[in-house]
Amino acid sequence: MGSSSSSRNKIPNAQELMHQTGFSSAHLLRLHDRFESLDRDNRGYLSPDDFEVLGGLAMNPIGGRIIEAFFSSGQDTVDFSSFVRILAHFRPTDRNRNKEGTQQELPSSRTRKLKFAFQLYDLDRDGKISREELLQVLRAMLGLQVTEEQLQSIAERAIQEADLDKDDAISFDEFKKSLEKMDIDTKMSVSFLK
Amino acid sequence: MATLWRFTLFLCMLLMACGGLSLASKEAKTRNTQTETGMASSSNTTGEGGHGGAPITTLPIVTWKWDHISVQYLVALWVLVCWLCKLLIEANHNVTNYIPESALLICSGFILGGMIWGADKVQTFSLSPTVFFYFLLPQIILDSGYHMPNKLFFTNLGAILIHAVIGTCWNAASLGLSLWGCHMGGAMGDLDIGLLQYLLFGSLMAAVDPVAVLAVFDQVHVNEVLFIIVFGESLLNDGVTVVLFNVFDAFVSLGGGRINAAEIIKGIVSFFVVAFGGSLVGIAFGILISLLTRCTKNIQIIEPGFIFVMGYLSYLTAEMLSLSAILSTTFCGVLCQKYVRANMDESSVQTVKYAMKVFANGSETIIFVFLGISAIDKVIWVWNTGFILLTVFFVFVYRFIGVFFLQWILNRYRLVPVELMDMVIMSYGGLRGAVAYGLAVLLDEKKIKEKNLMICTTLIVVYFTVILQGITMKPLVMWLKVKRAAVTEVSLLEKITNKMFNHTLVAIEDISGQIGDNYFRSKWRHFEEKWMTPFLMKPSARKKQDDVFDVFHQLNLKDAMEYVTEGERRGSLEFVRNDSAILDFKKKLESEYTEPDIPPYMINDHGAMFTMGRDHIPSVSLEMHEQTMKAMRGAEAVDVHHLLDQHLYKSRKQYRHGFSRSDFKINRDEKEVQEIFQRTMRNRLESFKSAKMGVSPPKTIVKYSKKEQQEKIPNGKSVSKTKLCHSGDEDFEFSEGDSASGYDSSYPSFSMRATYRPGGGIENPAFVPDLYPTDLLQEIPPWLAESESDSSMVAPSLRAQANLPNSPMEMRRLGLLRASTRSTDTKQMNNDQLPSPPTSPPPPPPPSGQM
């Protein structure tokens, strides 16, 4: 830690970020490097274009949505701290090392992870996954293999399964409930961000 | 209870018979050997028939030919007896809840062995290594490989390999050395065992046995990560054990003096060659199987057999090349499962699945029973307290040490570390089994003087682990509160989200610029899609291999079953006609059901099928027809239920009988798919840039596509437009009429089907080639496609287009039956099921409810 403290100074309010996200300073440094390499013009922020140059992302069926998630606040740019905050969702969940018993929820908690996933569906941010939104996700991910009609009925079914209050849409609570058994910790975690 | 007693009685009688037969068989055997050694005269004196006996004086009407079939008969009888044991054991649920089946089977083996001993005073039957390694084991291994949960297996492959290789070596070395140490220390008295022999013994004791592990863990239901690590280890380490065993066996033969560094290095090299060579053989056979199943559609009836034969051949081939046969068969199964399942007919897939389970379960049962029987033999019981107790103790302790140490290291690299309690269970699950026994029996008595002591010790270790540890496993799991396997019911949303997570993780790795597991996984998937799948999978199967769709399909099937069962429970057709029943079945779409036209439509639909069924039964099956008629008159409702049950929700994977089965030419070029996909993605990104959210497609697109449809459909070029179609509801409504007419006119030759075309069957793969001849695809130059797709939002599918015409209706029906496309196939199938002879009148026009 001591050795990196000098370079840590480059990162704006690193201490606060570490506290909020649970990243170690080594992680932050690494991410900062990445951030800078993405930010080709050294503007100090990233725009959607910066993401789109990533080859893998263009091939990713929901790449657009992921990018979207970084710009969720309605701005066209994302600065380093928001960048880190988004990525922090993908840290493995801390099990029992809750530092100094903080009551504040880290982004890597189960709920926050779920919330993130939920927002990937919920494009219009109305707090509900409508059938149309689900269809879009399906369409993107199933691509050419399934007919439109099948997609429709899949979406129909998926909504029915989760829809408890019968409003023909999935709210976050319903979403959470229907994924209750799922091992979110493992499935929404990337090992190198540990 | 009464049945149980009756059954026990029956079994006892069988055993008696068996005992008698075993006596006879012994005689037969000795007689045979005598005959073989040329003592023909004595064999004649035993009388009792047989062909080569004394010259006959008169024509015997019946002769006693026990000699001819003795071996086969005994084999069959023993299989029967073993399985009956299992039946008996499984009848007592309250016992199997506490004691694992494997332990009970061994105990019943004790009893059987006792009976034979009582009758013969010598153990006539025991598990011979040949039978075990060449007949019983391969079935189990093939089953484990074929039913391996691949994703789980490969995710944990690192841990599995480390446990299997390093853990097993550690077990072997530590056990051998410690025993040797104790021997030197004088703990065992006077034994003629050297260091190498101890190491040999250690190596045969080292392997955790897949059969035993499966038998116990199957009943405990621990969480899947724990299960796969123990099970995967047990499967792979057999290869390691056999290699170690062979190496040490060779060392023992060489003798201590001639082992130098070169030999040791050779041993290490041979280890890798054997292990990797075996895996490679397995992979080669896996590819062969996959290729073979690509072209077996004309011999569907023996299709499943290929899997077994090839699997067995992979075992034998590896054995022949002195490579690891177990690894070979495992990897063969692991590799081919995906392609086999996609390539073969669904009924064949089911056959393979069940037949494999039958064989594996059957031979597992036999193995355990015979492990019990083998114990009842005075010859092998050489007691040496020190040796036996120390072995049991060391096996137990070193397993713990090895697992904890390795897992402690592995945990540092795991995303989700394995918990301490899980590690306890992993160590405790180190059950030894038949492999160890088989190897012990293989020992050469000339080289190892104390072979019987080793067999005896091995058996004791096996009993100790399988019976004692097996029994205590469940309480231990409970007591330690080990995470159990969640009884998961697949839900669609879960599956979809799961898939989305996968993509998300890859994207996040892309963004954060680091290469992780997900990166490799996605690379592998890419590679598989690009190279393996086109090569190994039927083109027709390729498009179906989507797991979201698969879950959807399964759920639909389940619902359909429930639906039919529910209807049958009510006992009549009512459930078809009854609004409330439908509502009950389909809870959430009330609004759609209350639409007045739906129930009549349904009835019409089935009514039509019904009359069709009556009118067009071909003369060939006149009797059938008669019967059907009777049945219909008798209980029409039941028949309709049957009809529903049989035909309504048939899987899409099932091929159609008929012409289109033979020409599977649905080749969408994979490259084109890729291209479209990429383009779509770019477009999406564009649209994100411009419109932030690409929720609703611009109006212009809709117009464009409509125009296109009108233009193209009549001349059959609807293909090109698939890229355009999207799903706005209004679009569906709008394009319904004209494109439907387009179909009718462009495919007049299918008059029979065309009448039903609106009802569907279109998404049935078998029909796609008819609708979209492949050459049409080629006609669209890439640049043209490019320009056309400019306006596309997301390209759903070629077939989506075909479904446009009747979508709204279709949707509603889907809602009703919750069977999606199956319902549409039904009519089709029904249609096909009534093969129309040339003389038969044309089918009636489609029911009015259809359009």
Side-chain angles (χ1 to χ4, degrees), chain B residues 593-606:
Chain B
Y593 294 121
T594 46
E595 279 177 42
D597 58 327
I598 297 305
Y601 158 71
M602 285 280 300
I603 293 159
N604 270 357
D605 202 346
H606 292 295

Side-chain angles (χ1 to χ4, degrees), chain A residues 30-31 34 38 48-49 51-52 54-68 70-71 74-76 83 86-87 90 92 95 113-114 116-118 120-121 123-125 129 131-132 134-164 166 168 170 174-175 178-194, chain B residues 411-417 419 483 486-494 496-518 526 542-543 545-546 548-549 552 555-556 559 586-590 592 652 668 673-674 676-678 681-682 684-685 688-689 692-696 726-727 729 732 763 794-800 803 806-807 810-811 814 818 820-822 824:
Chain A
R30 214 157 51 179
L31 288 176
R34 179 65 182 169
L38 284 175
D49 301 327
F51 287 106
E52 274 154 27
L54 292 169
L57 219 50
M59 281 295 295
N60 199 318
I62 55 166
R65 273 160 203 271
I66 310 270
I67 296 175
E68 201 57 32
F70 280 85
F71 302 93
Q75 298 150 354
D76 283 343
F83 181 73
I86 300 285
L87 287 182
F90 295 92
R95 300 217 152 193
K113 277 179 198 290
L114 273 175
F116 188 87
F118 184 76
L120 287 179
Y121 284 108
L123 280 180
D124 58 5
R125 302 260 183 277
I129 304 177
R131 187 179 316 192
E132 189 52 38
L134 192 62
L135 253 180
Q136 285 199 13
V137 176
L138 279 173
R139 217 174 282 148
M141 290 200 307
L142 290 177
L144 302 166
Q145 292 157 351
V146 183
T147 63
E148 181 65 29
E149 181 186 318
Q150 285 165 337
L151 283 179
Q152 300 235 7
S153 38
I154 292 180
E156 180 64 38
R157 259 211 84 133
I159 295 225
Q160 271 182 48
E161 269 174 13
D163 186 18
L164 299 176
K166 309 200 173 175
D168 218 12
I170 304 174
E174 289 162 349
F175 184 72
S178 74
L179 299 186
E180 217 167 22
K181 291 184 203 130
M182 206 164 158
D183 190 6
I184 306 290
D185 298 348
T186 334
K187 291 196 167 132
M188 275 283 273
S189 298
V190 183
S191 61
F192 56 84
L193 290 177
K194 198 172 183 177
Chain B
N411 265 350
R412 302 164 149 233
Y413 300 99
R414 280 185 73 88
L415 192 59
V416 180
E419 284 165 30
K483 218 168 36 171
V487 189
T488 46
E489 211 176 314
V490 272
S491 89
L492 261 183
L493 189 66
E494 206 167 290
I496 296 167
T497 314
N498 207 347
K499 216 165 181 202
M500 192 165 88
F501 283 165
N502 288 343
H503 288 304
T504 315
L505 291 189
V506 177
I508 290 298
E509 283 188 355
D510 275 337
I511 289 174
S512 57
Q514 292 176 60
I515 294 175
D517 299 347
N518 295 296
H526 195 70
R542 233 175 286 153
K543 61 177 63 170
Q545 46 146 349
D546 188 279
V548 173
F549 187 75
F552 175 64
L555 286 171
N556 276 334
D559 275 0
K586 200 154 185 257
K587 297 159 198 117
K588 280 154 193 141
L589 284 178
E590 285 90 347
E592 296 207 26
R652 177 163 158 266
R668 277 180 288 112
V673 173
Q674 278 291 331
I676 296 169
F677 191 62
Q678 287 177 28
M681 291 330 298
R682 284 219 186 97
R684 290 171 56 75
L685 285 180
F688 271 122
K689 256 191 278 179
K692 205 70 183 156
M693 313 272 183
V695 178
S696 63
H726 80 104
S727 67
D729 274 336
F732 279 148
E763 58 278 339
V794 183
S797 144
L798 293 180
R799 284 171 289 144
N803 292 320
N806 49 309
S807 294
E810 201 51 35
M811 275 304 288
L814 283 175
R818 256 174 123 181
S820 109
T821 63
R822 248 79 291 147
T824 66

Side-chain angles (χ1 to χ4, degrees), chain B residues 100-103 106 140 144 206-222 225-238 364 367-368 371 399 425-435 462 465-467 469-470 473:
Chain B
E101 193 191 283
S102 46
I106 290 184
I140 297 172
S144 328
V208 175
D209 187 70
V211 188
V213 165
L214 257 188
V216 169
F217 275 66
D218 256 0
Q219 300 182 339
V220 182
H221 302 299
V222 291
V225 174
L226 177 56
F227 174 77
I228 199 72
I229 292 183
V230 178
F231 175 57
E233 180 204 344
S234 71
L235 207 53
L236 297 192
N237 72 7
D238 277 340
E364 184 188 292
I367 288 172
F368 281 122
L371 270 181
R399 168 80 187 170
I425 296 299
M426 272 169 71
S427 321
Y428 204 69
L431 309 178
R432 307 314 200 260
V435 173
V462 170
T465 54
V466 173
I467 299 180
Q469 288 181 216
M473 179 69 86

